[in-house]
Structures are given as structure tokens and as C-alpha cells.
């Protein structure tokens, strides 16, 4: 027995079992919010909460013990923002050491008798990763890795990665955890009202990515209350084969008598969360606004609940940074055109490092209807690992399609998989032992759906039986690496019938047996069957139809081939896979002419200009093609005045993307890449205007800053980029900016507009103070506020002129004010 430091009570210290063992038969309860409790204890605006682990140890221990006493099994350390971007090495070490010691003391001195665990809390860095921001993926991995290593050194039980709103940063954090410890890792993402992350991912995309990389539990936290998050949670329950986690806010924040309160109380909160536990959630707690009373009410309400068993879902799927593609009844189209075999122009582009050609080819194939892009850059005279890594990076910057990474070089494969944002398709492995030894560890580490070729050391069997036998061997070997057969998709190898008239039959028989007998999905490089024959599309289209009828799950094919596409859409219509024949009718009425037009760009690399774009420049900006936008602008300047190009080309293109963003058809990465393309156009325009005194495309001054105490500048940087593209003269003061600095800058520039950003509840008071000083020192200035913790009511209460829920709303408001200034 040991004596508690407060209250004189003595309790038995509980030695925790391993958390994953405990979770097999029990619900797991997490803690609640910390920021608002610290504010109530006296945390000042702009003060780092992590410092309180050192300076206010008694307060931290008291608050964490209260959660344990209320029934929490897991307490997060007070380290949400503790990383090397925010604190120097020695200070970070002390913060982590003290934070973990505090959490352990809270555990050991709690009166609760439940199993208890300490989680290392890791939040986002506040930086946006390349290509959309300036933070490199490997830099992010290194930042997270340092925090993980310290957490392991000082003895946490698990890693809790939470409140991530970008799939790529989530991957960086999970990779850092997996590479630097063997502890369980839980991952939780913050979703908006549209059910998507800030950068566009839905629940299926995140499940595919995180399960593929080996997260032990996944789910949702922050952003909204339990009712609003319920649809996303249900998607996780539908797709996830690991325990699902839910940690919602207590609704939305508002001000009452100068205090921040939330609109969902403990009783309503626990009712809503308990209902989702009844549907299958296994791990539950609270985020912003939830106190120990919320956790106590929740644990009492669910004390007699039997956990819903976690079921394996056996999805065969891949994902991009926005969505997952499932392999099911309807065959999946994989575009084959980014492959140098037999393509002179692509070979030239690879030798000349002409990524714009690859991007245009990818965009053309997407417009023809493919769902996945094959990416092969294999040429003997180039640095394949570096070029493949860059190709994947650049393609994911402008396209939201999943990619099939196609290389025979394991080094190149790992370089690309490590940087891939999602769960990739991996092409390929085969039945040779050296192939499986090289590829399966990569699949296990990074996740992926691996194409398995039915060949081995003896070559390609002539018979279907021989290929099926190799498939069985690959399945068994994959299982030894912990890779289930649903993460394998078998290619039974389409051989040319001109060399062997029975080749197609053997391929199709093997395909049918693997699909229906072994229960695995199948893929084919369809056009291989017709090599050496005239009018190859005739053969390809018919073979494609036969393969689909035998159970083909995916085809690597030429989307510019009318015969192939006719076969595909007709098959869907005839087999009941096309509801109301919508896809077939759309193809018949629109896609046929487009398909014919697309054949030319396949040779030239020039994208066709669809009707919705006024010009090639507008399309380049909308699609985010930076180099092409700059080149087209340079040519256009020979005939048009700079300001005319701005008004008739650049701004209309940005408006197309902006409207799509506002209507939730376009996501943040596409918006940012379009802005970068517009920036490339503007650079050409400015160069000409500099030589023409008296011309200017600049609107009024706009001062922007992240408020004092807050180091998160993603939102601010997005707004800055868009405002600059719309012609505003933006002064960016950075992050953690004192109110006095904001006021002085606005006064000096006599700026009519200022934008303030805050991500955390603990820094909103600093925003309020900044607005207060602006009202005194610069009363003419309009103030726009934004950030994850803000609402319209909150913005009104602190005296803002405008609450902008996203970057485009800031731009629209700024244009209104600029028009009034004229």
C-alpha cells in the first residue's frame, strides 16, 4: 500500500497488463480534454501548456489523476505539441521526462481499480508537408521520431497519435513510431463536417493506409461532437479490421460570462458515445471540453456493455490521399500509359527530367476514366529510385488517383512506397524466393496491395494448373510475413497468342480458378495478348471481355483504346454492374468523342482543352501544372497585355477551382496546386510588368498572422497563397505573433484587412487580445479570424468582423472589402 499525496487515502498500486491483451475482452476508456482544464487552472494566453509539466507538476498530476479516478484506462501525457520544432533538444527531453513522470504518478496514486496505461500523446506539427507546404516528409518523420524515442526512454505504454488532419503527416508520424519502438500505436484523425480530413481523405482511405502500416487501433477525435462524428465513425466500423477509437468534443465552444463552455453536457455526450459503443466502437473518451465528469458518466453508462467483437473485413483495396478503390464485382481500370516500353516520347521525357509530360499523361488517363495509374520509369540510363520517387510525388500533387508502383528494382520500390501518400498497388512479386524475400518485407512495412505474377524459378508454366500452384505457394509465403491473401492480386500473365494459340485459354483458366477457387482477386496486362498481330485493338477488346466474364478484377490497359473501353462499359451494363446504365450512357454520349481526342495527346503530350476551360492556360492552372502554366503564360504575353491575362485567364481559372472547393468537389491539395500553377503564371506576368512602370495587379494590403502561443501555421499559409494569387499585397508575420506586433504592422501599412489564425483552444484568448488592441490602435481595420476551434458565435464574441470557415471564404470577404476601398 502507498500513501496518496493528497487527501490521506491509501490505494493498492495496480501493475498494468499489456494493453493489447486487455483490449481483447474489454472496452478501453480514454481521458478527456486538457486545454480547457489548464485554462481554468490559470494557463495564460500564449503560454505553452507543455511547460506546465515542469512548472505546475501538481496541477498536471491532479487533473490526470481525476481522469483515472473517473474510470479512464488510458491517460495521455501532456505533450500534444512537444516536438523539436517547438522546443530545443534539452528542453524537449525535460518536458517529456516530466510529463511521463507526472502521468505515472497520477496512475499510481489514483483510487481507480481499473487497468491503467500511460500514452505518449503526439499531435500535429502545425506544418504542411510538401508538395503543398514547405515541410519535407523525411523532416516530419525525424521530428516525430525524436519524440517517440524519448517517450520510449521514459517508459510509456503506448503511442497515441491524435488530431491529425492530413493523411501524409499521419503517415509520417506512424512511420516514425513503427521505426523507433515496438509499442502499440493508436492513430486518430480530425474530420470536418463533410466527413473528410483537411487534405481530403475519407474514413476508407485512412483505414486502408493505417491498417496497411500496422496501426493497432484507429479512429476519430476532436473537431465535432459525437452526433456529428457518428457518420464517420460508422464508416470506420464498416471498413476497419482493428479496434475503432472515438474521442469527440463536447460539441462546439461558446462563451458564457467570459468562460469557454461547450454545448453538449455529460449526459447527452455519454448517451451518444454509448450508442456508438453499442455499434462496435471499442475505445472511447473525450476531447475538447470534456472533463472527468464526462468520462465518469460514460463509464457508468456502459459498465454492463459487452464489447462488440472486432471482425476482419478482408477488403482488397488501394488508396490515394482522398479515397480508396475497392476490388469487388466491377473490374478496376488501371491506366498503362506511364511506362516507357515502346514509347519514344516518354523515354525522352524521362531522360530530360520532363515531369510535366508525365503529369499531362496522368491527367489525360484520369479524364478517360481509369481508377488507378500504373507508374513505371524504368530506363537503364536513369537513376530509377530517384526518378520513381519524384514521379510518385509529382503525380500525387496533381492527381487524386491511387498509383500502381511498377518496378523490378526493390530499392526504387521502397523509395517510392516510403513517399507514397496512401496504400499503393505494388507491381510486382513472383514465386521466386528472392523476389518474395525482397518485396514482402516492404509490403509489411509500408502496406500495399501486391501484384503477384504466376511465375517462379522454372519460368511461366504453360498450363493453368501450373500457374495456380505458384499462386498457392505465394499465398503461403505471404502468410509467413503476416500478409493476408486479400493483400495479393494475381496476374496470370497474358501471353501473346501469335506465339501460342492456346496461351489465352491457359491464362483465362488460371484466372478463373484463382478468383473463384482460391478466392483471390486477379489482374492482367490485357494488351500483351495481341503482340505481333494486326489491328491489335480487335483482339484486346475481345480478350478483355472474356477475362472479365471469367472473374478479372483489374486490367492494366490503354484507356485511349475505343475497343477496350467499349468492352468495359458494355460488360458493366450487361452484368448488372451499372445502375440505371448511367456509366454506359455517359460513355456513349460523351466519352467516345473524348476518347478519340485523347489518342492524339498520348503521342504529343499536349492535354486536350475541354469545354469547361476557356484556354490551355486555364486548364493548366486548374490541374495544377506549374511548369506548363508558366510556359503558356510566357507565350500568351507575346499577344496579350499582362493585366488582361490576369483578368481573363488566371482569375477565372482560380474561380473554377475555388467554386469546386466551396462545393466540396475539390479538396485542399488540388486548391493549393492550382494556386502554385497560378503563381507560376504570375511570375511571368510580374516580370513583364516590372518593365512597364505604372502597371499593377495589386489590390489592398492584408496583414496575416498566427496568434501568440500558437505555432500552427497551415491555415495561415494556405490563406496567404490564395490571397496573393488574387492580387492582394500580403504581409505574413508568421506564427506565435504578439498582439503589439500585429497592431504596429497594420498601423505602418494602414492595412484595411488583417487575418488571425488559431488552432488550439488555449490560444483563442491571445486572438481576443489581439483584436482588442486592434480596435484601439487601428480602428479602421477589418479582422478576419479562422481556425479549427472557432465558430461564428465564438468569433462574434471576441469581436471579429468575419469568421471564415475556410481559405476561400477569406478570399471572398477580402475581395468585398477591397472593392469598398476603391
Amino acid at each position: 500500500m502507498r500513501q496518496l499525496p493528497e487527501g490521506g487515502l491509501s490505494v493498492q498500486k495496480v501493475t498494468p497488463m499489456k494493453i493489447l491483451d486487455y483490449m481483447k475482452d474489454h472496452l478501453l476508456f480514454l481521458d478527456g480534454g486538457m486545454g480547457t482544464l489548464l485554462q481554468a487552472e490559470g494557463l495564460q494566453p500564449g503560454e505553452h501548456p507543455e511547460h506546465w509539466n515542469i512548472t505546475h507538476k501538481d496541477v498536471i498530476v491532479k487533473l490526470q489523476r481525476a481522469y483515472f479516478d473517473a474510470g479512464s484506462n488510458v491517460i495521455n501525457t501532456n505533450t500534444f505539441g512537444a516536438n523539436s520544432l517547438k522546443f530545443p533538444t534539452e528542453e524537449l527531453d525535460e518536458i517529456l521526462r516530466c510529463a511521463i513522470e507526472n502521468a505515472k504518478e497520477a496512475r499510481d496514486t489514483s483510487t481507480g481499480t481499473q487497468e491503467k496505461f500511460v500514452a505518449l500523446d503526439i499531435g500535429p506539427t502545425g506544418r504542411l508537408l510538401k508538395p503543398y507546404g514547405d515541410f519535407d516528409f523525411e523532416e516530419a518523420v525525424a521530428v516525430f521520431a525524436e519524440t517517440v524515442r524519448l517517450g520510449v526512454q521514459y517508459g510509456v505504454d503506448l503511442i497515441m497519435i491524435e488530431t491529425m488532419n492530413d493523411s501524409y503527416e499521419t503517415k509520417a508520424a506512424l512511420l516514425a513510431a513503427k521505426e523507433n519502438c515496438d509499442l502499440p500505436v493508436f492513430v486518430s484523425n480530425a474530420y470536418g463536417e463533410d466527413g473528410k480530413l483537411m487534405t481530403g481523405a475519407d474514413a476508407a482511405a485512412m483505414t486502408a493506409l493505417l491498417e496497411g502500416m500496422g496501426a493497432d487501433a484507429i479512429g476519430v477525435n476532436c473537431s465535432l461532437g459525437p452526433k456529428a462524428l457518428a457518420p464517420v465513425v460508422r464508416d470506420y466500423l464498416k471498413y476497419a479490421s482493428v479496434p475503432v477509437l472515438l474521442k469527440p468534443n463536447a460539441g462546439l465552444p461558446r462563451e458564457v460570462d467570459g468562460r469557454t463552455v461547450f454545448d453538449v453536457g455529460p449526459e447527452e455526450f455519454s448517451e451518444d458515445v454509448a450508442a456508438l459503443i453499442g455499434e462496435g466502437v471499442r475505445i472511447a473518451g473525450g476531447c475538447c471540453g470534456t472533463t472527468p465528469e464526462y468520462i465518469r458518466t460514460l463509464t457508468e453508462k456502459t459498465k454492463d456493455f459487452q464489447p462488440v467483437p472486432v471482425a476482419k473485413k478482408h477488403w482488397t483495396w488501394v488508396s490515394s490521399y482522398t479515397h480508396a478503390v475497392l476490388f469487388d464485382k466491377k473490374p478496376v481500370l488501371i491506366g498503362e500509359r506511364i511506362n516507357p516500353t515502346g514509347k519514344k516520347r516518354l523515354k525522352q521525357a524521362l531522360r530530360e527530367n520532363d515531369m510535366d509530360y508525365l503529369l499531362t499523361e496522368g491527367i489525360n488517363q484520369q479524364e478517360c476514366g481509369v481508377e488507378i495509374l500504373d507508374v513505371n520509369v524504368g530506363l537503364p540510363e536513369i537513376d530509377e529510385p530517384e526518378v520513381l520517387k519524384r514521379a510518385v510525388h509529382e503525380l500525387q500533387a496533381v492527381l487524386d488517383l491511387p498509383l500502381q508502383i511498377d518496378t523490378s528494382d526493390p530499392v526504387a520500390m521502397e523509395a517510392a512506397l516510403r513517399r507514397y501518400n496512401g496504400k499503393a498497388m505494388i507491381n510486382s512479386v513472383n514465386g521466386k524466393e528472392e523476389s518474395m524475400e525482397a518485396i514482402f518485407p516492404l509490403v509489411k512495412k509500408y502496406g500495399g496491395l501486391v501484384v503477384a505474377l504466376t511465375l517462379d524459378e522454372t519460368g511461366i508454366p504453360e498450363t493453368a494448373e501450373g500457374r495456380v500452384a505458384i499462386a498457392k505457394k505465394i499465398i503461403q509465403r505471404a502468410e509467413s510475413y503476416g500478409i493476408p491473401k486479400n493483400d495479393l492480386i494475381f496476374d496470370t500473365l497474358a501471353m501473346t497468342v501469335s506465339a501460342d494459340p492456346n496461351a489465352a485459354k491457359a491464362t483465362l483458366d488460371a484466372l478463373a480458378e484463382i478468383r473463384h477457387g482460391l478466392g483471390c482477386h486477379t489482374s492482367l496486362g490485357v494488351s500483351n495478348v495481341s503482340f505481333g498481330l494486326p489491328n491489335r485493338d480487335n483482339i484486346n477488346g475481345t480478350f478483355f471481355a472474356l477475362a472479365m466474364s471469367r472473374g478479372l478484377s483489374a486490367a492494366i490497359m490503354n484507356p485511349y483504346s475505343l475497343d477496350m473501353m467499349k468492352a468495359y462499359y458494355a460488360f458493366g451494363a450487361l452484368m448488372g454492374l451499372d445502375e440505371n446504365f448511367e456509366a454506359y450512357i455517359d460513355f456513349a454520349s460523351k466519352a467516345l468523342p473524348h476518347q478519340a481526342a485523347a489518342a492524339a495527346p498520348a503521342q504529343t503530350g499536349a492535354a486536350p482543352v475541354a469545354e469547361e476551360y476557356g484556354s490551355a492556360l486555364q486548364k493548366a492552372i486548374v490541374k495544377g501544372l506549374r511548369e506548363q502554366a508558366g510556359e503558356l503564360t510566357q507565350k500568351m504575353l507575346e499577344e496579350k497585355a499582362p493585366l488582361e491575362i490576369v483578368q481573363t485567364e488566371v482569375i477565372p481559372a482560380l474561380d473554377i477551382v475555388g467554386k469546386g472547393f466551396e462545393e466540396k468537389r475539390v479538396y485542399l491539395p488540388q486548391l493549393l496546386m492550382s494556386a502554385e500553377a497560378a503563381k507560376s503564371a504570375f511570375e511571368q506576368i510580374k516580370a513583364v510588368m516590372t518593365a512597364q512602370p505604372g502597371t499593377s495587379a495589386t489590390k489592398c494590403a492584408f496583414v496575416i498572422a498566427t496568434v501568440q502561443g500558437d505555432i500552427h501555421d497551415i491555415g495561415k499559409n494556405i490563406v496567404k497563397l490564395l490571397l496573393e494569387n488574387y492580387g492582394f499585397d500580403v504581409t505574413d508575420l508568421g506564427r506565435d505573433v504578439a498582439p503589439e506586433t500585429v497592431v504596429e504592422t497594420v498601423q505602418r501599412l494602414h492595412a484595411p484587412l488583417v487575418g488571425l489564425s488559431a488552432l488550439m483552444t488555449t490560444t483563442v484568448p491571445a486572438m481576443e487580445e489581439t483584436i482588442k488592441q486592434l480596435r484601439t490602435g487601428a480602428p479602421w481595420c477589418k479582422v478576419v479570424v479562422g481556425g479549427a476551434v472557432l465558430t461564428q458565435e465564438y468569433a462574434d464574441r471576441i469581436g471579429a468582423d468575419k469568421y471564415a470557415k475556410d481559405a476561400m471564404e477569406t478570399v471572398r470577404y477580402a475581395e468585398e472589402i477591397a472593392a469598398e476601398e476603391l
Side-chain angles (χ1 to χ4, degrees):
M1 304 289 286
R2 65 166 57 190
Q3 194 73 22
L4 282 171
E6 295 182 16
L9 297 175
S10 60
V11 296
Q12 181 71 41
K13 179 180 178 181
V14 179
T15 301
M17 66 193 300
K18 290 186 177 181
I19 192 167
L20 296 183
D21 293 332
Y22 179 80
M23 287 167 53
K24 291 176 182 177
D25 301 311
H26 299 86
L27 295 172
L28 191 73
F29 292 100
L30 309 177
D31 57 9
M34 196 68 169
T36 48
L37 295 182
L38 290 176
Q39 285 179 318
E41 293 286 343
L43 182 73
Q44 296 301 303
E47 191 176 3
H48 294 310
E50 296 82 8
H51 276 149
W52 276 42
N53 292 304
I54 303 167
T55 60
H56 295 73
K57 172 183 176 179
D58 55 334
V59 173
I60 301 299
V61 172
K62 178 183 73 172
L63 295 177
Q64 292 179 328
R65 183 167 57 236
Y67 280 119
F68 275 133
D69 290 348
S72 295
N73 299 109
V74 178
I75 292 297
N76 281 345
T77 55
N78 181 36
T79 55
F80 180 79
N83 59 59
S84 58
L85 296 177
K86 192 173 181 180
F87 302 103
T89 300
E90 291 185 4
E91 187 177 10
L92 180 64
D93 187 299
E94 186 178 12
I95 286 171
L96 266 294
R97 177 180 59 80
C98 292
I100 295 167
E101 287 176 357
N102 295 341
K104 287 181 177 180
E105 182 174 332
R107 177 196 63 194
D108 296 343
T109 58
S110 165
T111 58
T113 58
Q114 75 277 13
E115 290 286 341
K116 305 183 190 73
F117 307 93
V118 172
L120 176 66
D121 190 28
I122 295 178
T125 62
R127 302 275 296 277
L128 192 60
L129 273 63
K130 295 177 180 177
Y132 315 117
D134 60 357
F135 197 35
D136 186 73
F137 178 79
E138 292 297 349
E139 289 182 283
V141 173
V143 167
F144 289 123
E146 186 171 0
T147 300
V148 169
R149 286 192 294 268
L150 288 170
V152 173
Q153 178 182 337
Y154 293 118
V156 296
D157 301 306
L158 69 150
I159 309 297
M160 180 75 75
I161 299 167
E162 66 168 351
T163 325
M164 292 285 174
N165 54 20
D166 172 27
S167 60
Y168 208 27
E169 185 175 29
T170 308
K171 175 174 179 172
L174 179 54
L175 186 60
K178 286 291 184 179
E179 289 184 336
N180 290 278
C181 75
D182 57 4
L183 296 174
V185 185
F186 295 0
V187 183
S188 184
N189 290 98
Y191 289 82
E193 293 178 348
D194 61 350
K196 305 284 175 57
L197 300 189
M198 177 187 71
T199 48
D202 60 16
M206 292 311 301
T207 303
L209 167 63
L210 298 174
E211 278 194 9
M213 290 184 63
D216 296 286
I218 61 177
V220 183
N221 81 292
C222 204
S223 305
L224 303 163
K227 278 191 177 72
L229 287 176
V232 180
V233 173
R234 292 187 178 110
D235 281 343
Y236 270 94
L237 293 172
K238 174 182 177 180
Y239 292 115
S241 298
V242 296
V244 171
L245 178 161
L246 171 61
K247 204 178 183 194
N249 288 348
L252 296 173
R254 55 192 174 88
E255 288 287 324
V256 174
D257 298 328
R259 294 185 306 109
T260 301
V261 299
F262 288 77
D263 60 7
V264 176
E267 188 62 31
E268 181 184 354
F269 178 91
S270 60
E271 285 280 356
D272 293 340
V273 175
L276 291 166
I277 290 174
E279 294 183 36
V281 168
R282 294 292 299 261
I283 306 168
C287 205
C288 300
T290 57
T291 65
E293 183 59 28
Y294 284 75
I295 305 304
R296 188 184 309 280
T297 306
L298 176 60
T299 55
E300 289 175 354
K301 195 173 293 292
T302 57
K303 62 183 178 182
D304 296 324
F305 279 35
Q306 291 298 314
V308 176
V310 178
K312 295 293 182 183
K313 304 302 191 303
H314 305 295
W315 299 110
T316 295
W317 56 0
V318 294
S319 68
S320 67
Y321 68 86
T322 60
H323 67 283
V325 172
L326 278 71
F327 293 77
D328 196 14
K329 295 177 181 178
K330 186 178 180 181
V332 172
L333 298 182
I334 304 171
E336 69 177 15
R337 300 296 303 177
I338 303 178
N339 186 320
T341 304
K343 301 182 185 71
K344 281 186 177 181
R345 180 63 186 88
L346 181 57
K347 288 179 180 179
Q348 179 187 348
L350 292 172
R351 293 186 185 108
E352 296 174 355
N353 203 23
D354 180 8
M355 282 292 159
D356 226 34
Y357 182 88
L358 271 72
L359 300 184
T360 299
E361 190 61 75
I363 290 168
N364 290 343
Q365 292 184 87
Q366 182 180 40
E367 291 180 344
C368 288
V370 303
E371 298 162 89
I372 298 170
L373 283 178
D374 183 74
V375 184
N376 184 318
V377 299
L379 285 179
E381 64 267 38
I382 67 171
D383 181 350
E384 187 178 357
E386 187 59 36
V387 174
L388 184 60
K389 179 176 71 173
R390 186 180 171 210
V392 166
H393 181 75
E394 295 273 0
L395 283 163
Q396 287 206 295
V398 301
L399 293 166
D400 67 346
L401 294 182
L403 303 181
Q404 175 172 268
I405 300 171
D406 187 354
T407 178
S408 59
D409 182 349
V411 175
M413 181 67 76
E414 179 163 21
L417 284 175
R418 189 173 180 87
R419 291 280 182 152
Y420 183 78
N421 189 357
K423 179 178 181 178
M425 198 163 178
I426 298 170
N427 191 6
S428 60
V429 74
N430 60 55
K432 296 178 182 179
E433 189 60 33
E434 62 180 0
S435 173
M436 293 186 284
E437 287 179 353
I439 297 301
F440 282 149
L442 300 181
V443 178
K444 184 63 177 175
K445 179 175 182 177
Y446 297 106
L449 173 64
V450 60
V451 177
L453 308 180
T454 51
L455 63 86
D456 61 12
E457 287 84 356
T458 63
I460 301 172
E462 292 184 1
T463 66
E465 292 78 12
R467 297 181 201 186
V468 172
I470 292 173
K472 291 178 180 178
K473 179 174 70 172
I474 293 172
I475 291 171
Q476 185 177 13
R477 195 72 177 91
E479 287 176 350
S480 71
Y481 284 90
I483 299 167
K485 70 177 185 179
N486 58 281
D487 276 337
L488 302 172
I489 183 166
F490 285 92
D491 187 334
T492 54
L493 300 168
M495 309 300 291
T496 177
V497 291
S498 63
D500 178 3
N502 295 313
K505 185 177 184 302
T507 297
L508 294 174
D509 287 348
L511 184 152
E513 176 59 25
I514 290 172
R515 181 71 190 99
H516 304 297
L518 300 185
C520 295
H521 284 281
T522 58
S523 174
L524 278 178
V526 176
S527 59
N528 294 341
V529 76
S530 65
F531 281 130
L533 294 174
N535 297 319
R536 292 180 59 193
D537 272 1
N538 295 337
I539 296 288
N540 295 343
T542 302
F543 180 63
F544 187 23
L546 290 171
M548 288 188 287
S549 71
R550 301 294 295 275
L552 182 67
S553 306
I556 305 174
M557 46 79 72
N558 178 7
Y560 307 144
S561 165
L562 291 180
D563 289 299
M564 297 273 279
M565 299 304 282
K566 285 176 185 177
Y568 175 74
Y569 285 105
F571 178 82
L574 293 169
M575 298 303 293
L577 303 176
D578 184 359
E579 187 174 355
N580 298 322
F581 301 97
E582 290 179 4
Y584 176 79
I585 292 170
D586 183 63
F587 170 75
S589 62
K590 298 178 182 178
L592 280 171
H594 181 68
Q595 225 78 25
Q603 304 301 320
T604 65
V609 180
E611 292 181 0
E612 62 265 36
Y613 311 116
S615 68
L617 175 56
Q618 285 192 22
K619 180 174 181 178
I621 292 172
V622 171
K623 295 298 184 181
L625 299 174
R626 291 168 291 187
E627 291 183 15
Q628 194 173 109
E631 291 169 0
L632 289 169
T633 303
Q634 193 174 38
K635 292 178 182 177
M636 194 173 286
L637 283 165
E638 297 173 3
E639 300 177 358
K640 288 187 177 183
L643 289 180
E644 182 184 357
I645 297 174
V646 171
Q647 295 301 323
T648 64
E649 300 287 345
V650 179
I651 297 300
L654 288 171
D655 283 340
I656 291 172
V657 183
K659 184 179 179 182
F661 180 75
E662 291 166 336
E663 294 175 352
K664 306 300 182 184
R665 294 181 288 104
V666 169
Y667 296 103
L668 180 63
Q670 296 158 284
L671 183 71
L672 292 177
M673 292 313 297
S674 294
E676 287 292 342
K679 183 178 179 181
S680 177
F682 269 121
E683 287 172 356
Q684 300 296 328
I685 292 167
K686 288 177 181 177
V688 172
M689 292 177 65
T690 301
Q692 299 175 0
T695 61
S696 174
T698 303
K699 298 175 183 175
C700 63
F702 194 118
V703 176
I704 194 166
T706 300
V707 298
Q708 190 169 39
D710 203 320
I711 65 161
H712 299 85
D713 61 0
I714 291 176
K716 172 185 67 66
N717 291 345
I718 293 166
V719 171
K720 173 190 175 184
L721 179 60
L722 291 179
L723 285 170
E724 287 177 337
N725 278 317
Y726 274 84
F728 288 89
D729 182 11
V730 181
T731 298
D732 180 6
L733 298 179
R735 48 189 179 169
D736 191 15
V737 181
E740 296 79 10
T741 303
V742 176
V743 174
E744 186 277 326
T745 306
V746 170
Q747 289 174 334
R748 176 168 49 82
L749 299 175
H750 201 77
L753 283 160
V754 66
L756 301 176
S757 175
L759 179 73
M760 303 180 295
T761 54
T762 54
T763 56
V764 174
M767 179 180 283
E768 182 178 11
E769 176 61 26
T770 304
I771 295 173
K772 181 180 177 182
Q773 292 192 26
L774 281 166
R775 294 302 179 224
T776 302
W780 66 85
C781 186
K782 300 291 186 183
V783 181
V784 191
V785 297
V789 295
L790 291 173
T791 62
Q792 182 65 60
E793 182 182 1
Y794 216 143
D796 293 341
R797 213 283 306 164
I798 63 177
D801 295 291
K802 172 68 177 178
Y803 162 64
K805 67 180 185 298
D806 57 44
M808 281 308 302
E809 194 165 334
T810 302
V811 171
R812 302 299 187 216
Y813 179 72
E815 288 198 304
E816 290 177 14
I817 300 303
E820 293 173 5
E821 290 286 309
L822 294 176

